[in-house]
Structures are given as C-alpha cells and as structure tokens.
Amino acid sequence: ITSGPAEGDSVASTSQVSFEFSATDATAHAYACAVDGGGLSACVSPYAFSPAPGAHSFAVAATDAAGNATSTARNFTVLP
C-alpha cells in the first residue's frame, strides 16, 4: 500500500477513503481487495470506498503469473 490512511490512523469523515498500491514484483498481474474482513475481489489501484464512521480495515493481495501471492492490510478509524 503506497498511499491512504496509515495503520492505526483516525481520519475525518469524508465521502471516500482511497488506497493506492503496487507490487514490488514486476510480474504481478492481478490484485484483489477486501474491506472490513469481507471476501477478496478483483480490484485496481487506486481503490476508493465510502466507509461509515467507526473502525475499518482494507486488505490487498497481489498474485504473479506463477500464482505466488502476497498481501498486506491497514486498519483505520473514520471519525464521526
């Protein structure tokens, strides 16, 4: 994750929160994202969503052509 709320951040209530991400492996060809522990689904960077006030998580996984996967996540809070 290259931009967006940092781990443990509290952010002002806005219409959207956006995360940008990239893989260090140049062969990464597929990304999947999940919000608040939901299932991973295909996504692209930047990924934006509109969370309600409260605690949230964002996770992204990258998969390369060989099927190797890596993932990372951020937890943050949206203030009321």
Side-chain angles (χ1 to χ4, degrees):
I1 298 175
T2 57
S3 75
E7 177 67 24
D9 267 2
S10 293
V11 297
S13 180
T14 62
S15 59
Q16 286 192 331
V17 172
S18 180
F19 287 92
E20 293 182 24
F21 45 88
S22 62
T24 56
D25 184 344
T27 63
H29 73 276
Y31 294 101
C33 297
V35 175
D36 295 338
L40 289 166
S41 60
C43 64
V44 296
S45 180
Y47 184 86
F49 58 102
S50 301
H56 297 281
S57 64
F58 171 77
V60 60
T63 305
D64 67 13
N68 301 309
T70 186
S71 63
T72 188
R74 294 264 179 93
N75 297 292
F76 64 98
T77 300
V78 176
L79 301 173

